[in-house]
């Protein structure tokens, strides 16, 4: 698990830091040559190709497919140089040529797989960021929906309180049931009209004179029993 996290951090760093091609070329070349020198000086008894494999995989993971393939080809050449015999006209013996060719084929596959792993991680990273962004948008939408529900509940309670007040006052003032019914209907219509004026602008603004005419209309003709005047507000 810890190794996986380290690899993730390594791949993430390589994706976030775009290294120029010239520096990539120098880096891969120097590492391959250094491994070849190390193997020649200190590890002559082991397989000549063994120590080049980590370099090839690292190049594919860090820089992508083309650099992994370049590291594989250069490693094959470097390994061949370290075991070459100047007295041999073919440079290498038959088994050495066979081993070099097999090494090249295998490491080309390794470089391709390493590059595919890098690409898969890049796609996963992109999807993770998109998923995180989508989750953020969903949470924001959910928060707005909760706020809207609370506001709607609050306004509904206010409307019900107003309706209750209208009905109560009208019944107390009415002399008989028919007149009370007529007055209640007119006042509830006025309340509905006032609400329509508000909702027309999403409860953000409303013309004051229009509101006065809608709300006070049932109580008497505007301009006769009720006088309303003033600047636009």
């Amino acid at each position: 698990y810890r190794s996986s996290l380290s690899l993730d951090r390594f791949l993430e760093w390589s994706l976030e830091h775009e290294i120029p091609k010239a520096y990539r070329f120098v880096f891969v070349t120097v590492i391959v040559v250094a491994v070849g020198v190390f193997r020649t000086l200190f590890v002559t008894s082991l397989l000549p190709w063994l120590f080049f494999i980590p370099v090839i995989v690292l190049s594919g993971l860090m820089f992508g497919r083309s650099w992994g393939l370049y590291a594989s080809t250069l490693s094959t050449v470097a390994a061949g140089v370290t075991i070459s015999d100047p007295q041999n006209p073919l440079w290498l013996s038959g088994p050495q040529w066979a081993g070099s060719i097999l090494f090249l084929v295998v490491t080309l596959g390794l470089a391709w797989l390493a590059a595919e792993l890098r690409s898969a991680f890049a796609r996963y990273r992109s999807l993770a960021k998109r998923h995180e962004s989508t989750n953020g948008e969903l949470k924001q939408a959910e928060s707005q929906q909760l706020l809207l529900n609370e506001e709607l509940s609050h306004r509904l309670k206010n409307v019900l309180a107003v309706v209750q007040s209208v009905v109560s006052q009208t019944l107390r003032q009415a002399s008989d049931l028919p007149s009370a019914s007529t007055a209640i209907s007119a006042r509830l219509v006025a309340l509905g009209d006032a609400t329509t004026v508000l909702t027309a602008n999403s409860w953000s603004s409303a013309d004051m004179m229009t509101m006065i005419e809608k709300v006070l209309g049932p109580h008497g003709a505007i301009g006769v029993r009720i006088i309303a005047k003033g600047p636009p507000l």
Side-chain angles (χ1 to χ4, degrees):
Y1 179 70
R2 291 180 179 177
S3 298
S4 177
L5 289 178
S6 300
L7 180 60
D8 288 352
R9 285 195 292 267
F10 169 75
L11 289 173
E12 193 165 345
W13 181 90
S14 68
L15 290 170
E16 291 178 351
H17 297 78
E18 187 66 25
I19 301 176
K21 290 184 178 180
Y23 291 168
R24 297 183 185 187
F25 174 79
V26 171
F27 177 82
V28 174
T29 302
V30 169
I31 292 297
V32 170
V33 172
V35 170
V37 172
F38 175 81
R39 197 217 70 81
T40 302
L41 296 177
F42 302 105
V43 209
T44 55
S45 61
L46 295 180
L47 292 174
W49 308 281
L50 183 63
F51 293 93
F52 292 96
I53 294 177
V55 178
I56 296 169
V57 174
L58 177 66
S59 299
L61 287 174
M62 190 170 183
F63 301 131
R65 181 179 304 169
S66 58
W67 296 102
L69 299 180
Y70 168 69
S72 174
T73 303
L74 185 62
S75 296
T76 303
V77 175
V81 170
T82 63
I83 60 174
S84 62
D85 181 8
Q87 305 300 325
N88 191 334
L90 297 178
W91 193 35
L92 299 175
S93 65
Q96 289 174 334
W97 274 111
S100 297
I101 294 173
L102 180 62
F103 172 78
L104 178 62
V105 172
V106 171
T107 54
L108 286 176
L110 285 176
W112 182 83
L113 287 175
E116 285 300 307
L117 178 60
R118 172 186 170 87
S119 299
F121 182 82
R123 290 192 296 269
Y124 161 77
R125 189 163 173 261
S126 176
L127 289 174
K129 287 185 176 180
R130 193 181 308 170
H131 178 68
E132 182 179 356
S133 175
T134 302
N135 280 345
E137 293 175 357
L138 288 175
K139 289 181 179 179
Q140 184 178 5
E142 183 180 359
S143 176
Q144 291 177 348
Q145 184 64 40
L146 290 174
L147 180 63
L148 179 61
N149 289 340
E150 291 176 0
E151 182 69 16
L152 182 60
S153 175
H154 174 69
R155 291 180 179 177
L156 181 58
K157 290 178 181 178
N158 287 344
V159 170
L160 292 176
V162 172
V163 170
Q164 183 180 6
S165 177
V166 167
V167 173
S168 176
Q169 291 184 21
T170 303
L171 290 177
R172 284 203 304 267
Q173 297 170 0
S175 57
D176 53 56
L177 189 58
S179 61
S181 176
T182 302
I184 289 174
S185 297
R187 290 171 181 177
L188 291 181
V189 169
L191 178 61
D193 291 341
T195 304
T196 301
V197 174
L198 289 170
T199 56
N201 293 310
S202 301
W203 295 83
S204 60
S205 64
D207 180 70
M208 183 61 72
M209 188 60 70
T210 303
M211 289 293 296
I212 291 173
E213 292 174 352
K214 295 293 185 183
V215 174
L216 300 181
H219 299 284
I222 301 295
V224 179
R225 184 164 170 255
I226 298 172
I227 305 299
K229 60 183 179 179
L233 181 64

